[in-house]
Amino acid sequence: PSYPDLRSNHERVDQHRAPACVAKSMWFWDHRDPEVPGRSVTNPGECARAVAPALFPVQQGYLPSQITIIAAYQGQKQLLRQARQGELRLVWAG
């Protein structure tokens, strides 16, 4: 195994309730959007696919601090942060 000391957190994750506006508390998906190599990997297509559904609960009254998007690379985290800040300004201004 890649992480021999990794422990399951199913008990904690199972306690997460889905927002009332969606059926599940978390989503996973696969895609074919190409990664952009650089100092740290980014993927603009993946970023857009992650931010769009995260905005829906915000539009329904949930706080951005109640939503988590997980990214493996620092470059992707920065890209997500930039996209989130721009998108959330639009949602709150609307």
Side-chain angles (χ1 to χ4, degrees):
S2 298
Y3 303 98
D5 297 327
L6 185 64
R7 293 181 294 141
S8 173
N9 63 354
H10 286 279
E11 291 177 14
R12 182 171 181 210
V13 172
D14 285 342
Q15 294 174 12
H16 290 210
R17 290 185 326 208
C21 58
V22 296
K24 299 202 179 243
S25 66
M26 62 187 92
W27 300 287
F28 297 91
W29 72 85
D30 188 22
H31 63 80
R32 302 280 184 248
D33 295 320
E35 293 181 338
V36 178
R39 184 172 177 169
S40 181
V41 175
T42 60
N43 191 315
E46 181 181 75
C47 177
R49 289 173 195 242
V51 171
L55 290 174
F56 182 69
V58 174
Q59 293 168 333
Q60 305 304 309
Y62 289 85
L63 297 174
S65 61
Q66 295 175 286
I67 300 166
T68 301
I69 300 173
I70 299 172
Y73 302 109
Q74 183 65 28
Q76 190 72 354
K77 281 176 42 179
Q78 292 172 345
L79 190 64
L80 284 162
R81 190 171 289 129
Q82 291 167 1
R84 179 197 67 196
Q85 289 171 347
E87 294 292 336
L88 289 178
R89 273 193 228 106
L90 293 174
V91 169
W92 284 343

